[in-house]
Amino acid sequence: MTQTGNRSLTDKPGKCKDYKEERAPSERRMAKSNKIPKLPVQQLVILALCRLADPISFSSVFPYLPEMIESFGVPENEVGRWAGITAAVFSLSQAATGIAWGRASDRFGRKPVILAGMICVMSTGLLFGFSRNLPMAIVARSLAGASNGNVGILRTTVAELVPQKELQPRAFSVMPLMWSIGSIFGPGFGGSLADPAAKLPHIFGNRFFREFPYALPNMVASLFFFIGLIAGTLFLKETLETKKHQRDYGRVLGKAILRAFGKTKKQDHPFGDNEQSASLLKHSRMSSTSTMDDEDSFQPSDTPVKQRAPSYREVFSRQTNINLLTYTLLALHSVAYDQLLPIFMHHPTQIDRSSNPNVHLPFKFSGGFGIDSDRIGLLFTLYGVSGTIIQFLIFPPIARRYGVLNSLKVVTILFPLAYIATPFTALLSNPRSQQIAMFLIMLIKCFAAIFAFPCTIILLTNSAVSLRILGTLNGVATSVSAIGRATGPAIGGAMFEVGAVHGWAILPWWVLAGFAVVGAIPVWWLVEMDGFGGSGDDSCDEDEAETPEVPHAEEEGTQQPVVMGSPKVKPREVPEVDESAKGDEGLLSTSNLLDQMGKSSGGPVAMPLRRGHRVTRDHCP
């Protein structure tokens, strides 16, 4: 407690121990400007480019997957089961390797693992496009899933870039936004470019595209991977604490290219973007406690800090476990729904329901829309456009106003309603009304998913006990959610086959609705944690650091004692201060003054300061 007259200046004992007189107004303005957190926009854009190719490659498979499986000689009634198996092996392989990818990012750094994952996914996607039979396609999808560990690592990178809680709805919506944008282009590429020799024989009627009818969509998707690889190699910054100070030759080349085109900017701070480094150095629980009087006075060490691997007890807290369960069940029913939609819309319609003895409306019926991959691709493209609008314009303000957890609780109610209504669209009289009704239901599901996934990710990230374990935690999240993404399509495909054989079209959709109801239950046990950007004990705000002015004395020239220490102990009498303890213009130097008062340790120290001067913290570890 610092006292002056009838005023008191509050401080947290034990947090900030070194003080110095504030000399320049420019320093005060600089401290005040750094107080407002800002998004590292450039790095988020680069991460978005690295993320974009993955949803394009993933969603481009949906429109043509039923036709592709049929082209391998699979009977029509078994297409749903094999489509579910193809999706399941992708997610099972992802579950098997998700933790390993997360551990690798904690050891080798976020950037190299992200780039390696992109190369692997691009290669396995091309392998899937060149598949000649069903076993080869399944193996290719399995390898693609094993290579796809970037989801959790990109999420970890965003968390390290943006620890401030108030910015997280915007920052964490970037990756789902890229998924929505990729879901616009992916189905369009897949639906229009699949089997190009049959659709555009005058352009693609050569032997190559007749032999590999589904290679072209994957070749186009690989171009997006290539763009992301170039952007990530040249401009993406490392965010792992133990690796980010090392020399990055990719970024050195990127700066050289920018200089060649006259796009150079002022020299980067050694710790990256100003707002990024400030937030990380301030909020990271494993950051150094070095004194930083001036940004230019310290340089990063070439020797990386060795840290032990996080234990499973650190990773699996109670709230983390509830978040992981919620995320897994969400992935199970949401991804299964998206996988079943193209199968349902491609399935032939049921004729003469009124005279069919196996039809008992409103629940016992079968059939789909009977539309081709072009039409399915168009519906999924509109689905992606709607998701982008919701992600960009609706989600951030609502999440900021009502809270992440409250938003999640509301949207979990929408999933089962959309799933239950889906199969009844096949009962409408004409194809146009069927597709319009289907699109409206897809919009409801899209709204719920756009809110649910980022909210769950934010809650999961903020449940971590330390930034040090985020790589492993998101690797675990990728693995356990991949189990849900594998289980959901497998169950959905099997239920679709049973429903098609026995005339129960509602069976797969109502099973998914049951999973959605179960998945909504643990949401009510969740607690919204503060995360790493809050004003907790391990951070000192600028408002606390800057103290009010010392009031004027009653008489001219009277010095007011400012006491540092316990407020319950009365200050000792001010000792006589030698003139050598004064600095420029007769002002007291804190270090010299403390040297003079060294013998009076053991109680609070009275520091005489001239009126109008303020005491600020030298540093806040």
Side-chain angles (χ1 to χ4, degrees):
M1 177 75 72
T2 303
Q3 298 176 340
T4 170
N6 58 356
R7 286 179 138 183
S8 64
L9 308 180
T10 304
D11 181 39
K12 295 181 180 180
K15 284 292 179 183
C16 300
K17 300 179 181 178
D18 297 331
Y19 292 78
K20 64 181 180 181
E21 287 187 53
E22 190 168 279
R23 295 179 176 86
S26 61
E27 294 179 3
R28 295 198 300 269
R29 289 193 297 270
M30 182 180 299
K32 191 172 182 180
S33 64
N34 289 336
K35 177 184 173 182
I36 303 175
K38 295 180 181 180
L39 284 174
V41 177
Q42 294 180 349
Q43 287 300 297
L44 290 177
V45 169
I46 296 169
L47 286 175
L49 290 176
C50 294
R51 175 62 170 154
L52 180 61
D54 193 22
I56 290 177
S57 175
F58 184 79
S59 61
S60 65
V61 176
F62 291 167
Y64 66 79
L65 183 59
E67 294 182 7
M68 183 181 189
I69 293 176
E70 287 181 359
S71 69
F72 296 146
V74 176
E76 191 175 77
N77 287 337
E78 299 180 11
V79 169
R81 174 163 60 94
W82 285 107
I85 292 174
T86 304
V89 297
F90 178 93
S91 299
L92 283 176
S93 300
Q94 190 178 41
T97 60
I99 297 178
W101 282 105
R103 291 271 186 173
S105 73
D106 285 339
R107 179 176 180 182
F108 302 108
R110 316 299 185 205
K111 179 175 178 175
V113 177
I114 288 173
L115 298 179
M118 292 177 66
I119 294 174
C120 293
V121 175
M122 179 179 65
S123 303
T124 53
L126 290 173
L127 181 63
F128 179 76
F130 286 94
S131 299
R132 294 176 176 269
N133 50 59
L134 184 59
M136 183 177 178
I138 292 176
V139 170
R141 291 299 287 172
S142 177
L143 293 175
S147 305
N148 199 326
N150 277 355
V151 178
I153 302 170
L154 289 168
R155 196 179 301 150
T156 302
T157 306
V158 173
E160 290 170 335
L161 286 172
V162 187
Q164 298 89 351
K165 190 175 180 180
E166 65 272 20
L167 298 180
Q168 285 181 339
R170 293 173 61 191
F172 277 91
S173 66
V174 172
M175 296 300 109
L177 176 63
M178 289 301 102
W179 185 271
S180 299
I181 294 175
S183 299
I184 296 173
F185 295 104
F189 291 148
S192 59
L193 300 180
D195 198 6
K199 298 175 181 177
L200 299 171
H202 57 287
I203 300 178
F204 300 103
N206 53 56
R207 179 182 176 183
F208 176 82
F209 288 108
R210 287 198 303 269
E211 190 172 352
F212 303 104
Y214 303 103
L216 187 58
N218 294 278
M219 294 169 65
V220 172
S222 66
L223 295 178
F224 288 91
F225 278 108
F226 189 69
I227 294 172
L229 281 169
I230 292 177
T233 302
L234 297 180
F235 305 111
L236 182 62
K237 296 179 180 179
E238 179 59 61
T239 60
L240 182 64
E241 183 70 22
T242 57
K243 298 291 184 181
K244 66 182 181 180
H245 307 317
Q246 296 181 358
R247 187 174 182 84
D248 187 340
Y249 292 98
R251 293 192 63 231
V252 171
L253 178 60
K255 291 179 181 179
I257 294 174
L258 291 179
R259 283 196 298 269
F261 287 93
K263 300 291 184 179
T264 56
K265 299 190 297 183
K266 64 181 181 179
Q267 181 68 25
D268 287 341
H269 188 277
F271 285 92
D273 293 334
N274 288 337
E275 68 270 20
Q276 173 187 345
S277 60
S279 63
L280 286 177
L281 289 173
K282 181 178 178 180
H283 298 292
S284 174
R285 302 183 184 185
M286 59 182 178
S287 61
S288 172
T289 57
S290 302
T291 302
M292 295 182 295
D293 292 337
D294 190 348
E295 285 188 357
D296 296 330
S297 65
F298 67 98
Q299 296 294 331
S301 174
D302 294 334
T303 304
V305 180
K306 293 184 179 180
Q307 298 182 17
R308 63 178 179 84
S311 66
Y312 283 98
R313 179 174 296 180
E314 291 177 301
V315 175
F316 296 104
S317 65
R318 181 178 184 274
Q319 279 299 306
T320 297
N321 292 336
I322 299 174
N323 273 286
L324 290 174
L325 176 61
T326 303
Y327 188 41
T328 302
L329 293 173
L330 174 63
L332 186 151
H333 61 75
S334 180
V335 173
Y337 182 85
D338 291 341
Q339 295 273 357
L340 279 179
L341 273 183
I343 301 171
F344 172 67
M345 290 188 283
H346 180 70
H347 195 72
T349 58
Q350 189 177 37
I351 303 174
D352 297 330
R353 288 194 178 98
S354 58
S355 60
N356 193 329
N358 294 323
V359 175
H360 300 283
L361 298 177
F363 300 116
K364 193 174 188 300
F365 62 92
S366 64
F369 294 176
I371 59 179
D372 58 11
S373 60
D374 285 338
R375 199 69 179 177
I376 295 173
L378 176 61
L379 287 174
F380 269 88
T381 298
L382 296 176
Y383 185 47
V385 171
S386 304
T388 302
I389 295 173
I390 295 170
Q391 188 81 64
F392 190 71
L393 299 179
I394 300 177
F395 168 71
I398 290 181
R400 283 197 301 268
R401 180 171 182 178
Y402 297 104
V404 171
L405 183 56
N406 291 331
S407 301
L408 179 61
K409 289 178 179 179
V410 171
V411 298
T412 52
I413 303 173
L414 300 179
F415 285 110
L417 299 178
Y419 298 165
I420 290 173
T422 296
F424 295 104
T425 57
L427 298 177
L428 297 177
S429 57
N430 58 76
R432 175 175 293 181
S433 60
Q434 288 177 344
Q435 295 173 35
I436 291 175
M438 185 73 256
F439 182 68
L440 293 177
I441 295 175
M442 291 169 69
L443 280 180
I444 296 174
K445 192 268 178 183
C446 178
F447 181 89
I450 289 298
F451 271 75
F453 279 101
C455 288
T456 307
I457 292 168
I458 292 172
L459 292 171
L460 177 65
T461 300
N462 290 340
S463 70
V465 298
S466 170
L467 281 171
R468 182 174 59 87
I469 70 168
L470 270 184
T472 301
L473 176 59
N474 281 308
V476 172
T478 301
S479 292
V480 298
S481 66
I483 295 175
R485 290 194 299 272
T487 306
I491 294 175
M495 294 298 100
F496 190 91
E497 181 182 2
V498 173
V501 171
H502 298 283
W504 291 93
I506 66 172
L507 181 61
W509 309 105
W510 286 33
V511 169
L512 292 183
F515 280 112
V517 171
V518 174
I521 296 175
V523 173
W524 298 89
W525 298 335
L526 290 174
V527 177
E528 193 166 356
M529 310 294 284
D530 289 335
F532 303 100
S535 56
D537 291 338
D538 50 353
S539 64
C540 295
D541 295 336
E542 294 291 340
D543 289 339
E544 299 175 39
E546 190 169 293
T547 58
E549 291 188 0
V550 178
H552 290 284
E554 292 289 336
E555 299 178 3
E556 183 66 27
T558 304
Q559 296 178 333
Q560 302 292 330
V562 181
V563 183
M564 295 187 298
S566 173
K568 298 181 181 180
V569 181
K570 292 183 179 181
R572 295 183 179 182
E573 185 175 343
V574 180
E576 196 70 24
V577 180
D578 191 271
E579 288 297 316
S580 62
K582 296 183 178 181
D584 297 338
E585 302 181 16
L587 298 180
L588 290 172
S589 169
T590 305
S591 59
N592 292 338
L593 177 61
L594 293 178
D595 289 340
Q596 295 253 340
M597 296 178 164
K599 296 182 180 180
S600 61
S601 60
V605 180
M607 293 178 57
L609 295 177
R610 293 201 174 210
R611 68 187 182 193
H613 287 275
R614 292 185 283 183
V615 177
T616 59
R617 301 181 180 189
D618 193 16
H619 78 279
C620 179

